[in-house]
Amino acid sequence: QNFNNNRIKGSLVFTNLQINNKNAVPAINSNLNGKDINYLQKLVLKYNQNILRLDCALLDYRFKNKELIAYRLKGFDSTWYKTDQNAQITYTNLPAGKYLLEIKTLRNDLYTNQVYRSLSIVVRPAPWKTWWAYTIYAIVIIVLIVIVSRTLLTMLKLRHNIELEKRLAALKLNFFTNVSHELRTPLTLILGPLEQLSKKEQLSPEGNDYMEVIKKNAGRMTHYINQLLDL
């Protein structure tokens, strides 16, 4: 009983590290940089190394199977979780970000020092979720917007030009139609009196020749104007 009540120097240590359910060995695991987990200040994980288990022990053999320590992953947890002196801390599907694993004792009255451990944990984002990837996405989107905008402007200009051509063609057609009507009317008025002159008036042979030339050319002009109106 006297031994249990004595204040001693407490110590927290990491006894094992698993990444994606595999033990992390300093000699072969690049995440540890050749160091034991107890001497590592920062643990950097890839985006697909998001299953993490840390075994932690409070080096105090006086109390067994009692809640002596608490832990939390700052930046992920909002509360402290209580556990016994041999804790198995497990996190799955950790999103990309920066975290701080904090472990402390629940019984400060048993120790002469502040028993506390922390470990910085960084989960890198996936390559397609990094800032330079988003920069590329933004550039591609801007280029697409510019291309689409220019294409739409070109299409609008073409449609506008087509409308102008249609209006111009309609104006030309109306112009030629009106002019043709205006020309056919006086020609009709010319041909009528010519017919009457050739029938009722006695002209000299030379006058008759002139009359035939006038009738012939007036008839040709009437024929051409009628063709233009049909077109």
Side-chain angles (χ1 to χ4, degrees), residues 7-27:
R7 290 165 60 91
I8 65 172
K9 184 177 181 180
S11 179
L12 280 166
V13 296
F14 295 115
T15 58
N16 190 34
L17 169 65
Q18 286 188 352
I19 300 174
N20 288 350
N21 298 320
K22 294 182 179 179
N23 290 330
V25 181

Side-chain angles (χ1 to χ4, degrees), residues 22-223:
K22 294 182 179 179
N23 290 330
V25 181
I28 60 176
N29 195 287
S30 59
N31 302 94
L32 298 176
N33 296 323
K35 297 181 180 179
D36 184 83
I37 186 63
N38 280 289
Y39 302 101
L40 199 65
Q41 299 297 322
K42 179 189 291 187
L43 178 62
V44 181
L45 303 173
K46 298 178 181 178
Y47 71 96
N48 55 356
Q49 295 177 325
N50 54 2
I51 301 177
L52 179 67
R53 173 182 162 181
L54 269 167
D55 295 343
C56 179
L58 174 63
L59 301 184
D60 187 348
Y61 305 101
R62 296 174 296 173
F63 306 97
K64 188 177 181 181
N65 299 325
K66 289 186 178 181
E67 291 183 346
L68 292 179
I69 60 175
Y71 69 90
R72 72 172 178 179
L73 188 61
K74 194 174 181 180
F76 186 80
D77 293 327
S78 58
T79 58
W80 290 85
Y81 296 97
K82 299 177 181 179
T83 183
D84 59 22
Q85 64 188 80
N86 294 307
Q88 292 181 348
I89 303 170
T90 303
Y91 288 96
T92 59
N93 297 323
L94 276 177
K98 296 181 179 180
Y99 308 98
L100 181 66
L101 178 63
E102 296 180 298
I103 307 170
K104 66 180 182 179
T105 182
L106 295 172
R107 295 287 304 273
N108 291 322
D109 58 312
L110 298 177
Y111 306 101
T112 58
N113 60 316
Q114 183 183 10
V115 185
Y116 174 85
R117 284 293 301 264
S118 65
L119 176 65
S120 177
I121 300 175
V122 177
V123 181
R124 296 188 184 278
W128 55 88
K129 292 184 178 180
T130 55
W131 66 268
W132 54 265
Y134 287 117
T135 303
I136 294 175
Y137 300 154
I139 293 173
V140 171
I141 291 173
I142 292 172
V143 170
L144 288 176
I145 291 174
V146 171
I147 292 174
V148 171
S149 300
R150 289 187 177 181
T151 304
L152 290 176
L153 287 175
T154 303
M155 292 176 64
L156 289 174
K157 287 181 180 179
L158 288 175
R159 292 181 65 179
H160 181 67
N161 292 335
I162 291 172
E163 290 295 327
L164 287 178
E165 291 292 336
K166 287 182 178 179
R167 291 185 180 182
L168 184 60
L171 289 173
K172 289 179 180 179
L173 181 61
N174 290 332
F175 172 75
F176 283 115
T177 302
N178 294 332
V179 169
S180 300
H181 278 291
E182 293 297 326
L183 290 175
R184 189 170 65 172
T185 300
L187 282 174
T188 303
L189 295 176
I190 290 172
L191 285 173
L194 285 176
E195 290 290 336
Q196 297 297 323
L197 282 173
S198 62
K199 290 179 181 179
K200 295 180 180 182
E201 299 294 333
Q202 295 294 326
L203 299 175
S204 63
E206 187 177 2
N208 286 326
D209 291 338
Y210 287 142
M211 183 67 68
E212 290 297 324
V213 172
I214 293 171
K215 288 171 62 178
K216 182 179 179 181
N217 285 284
R220 289 179 65 185
M221 289 185 66
T222 304
H223 175 69

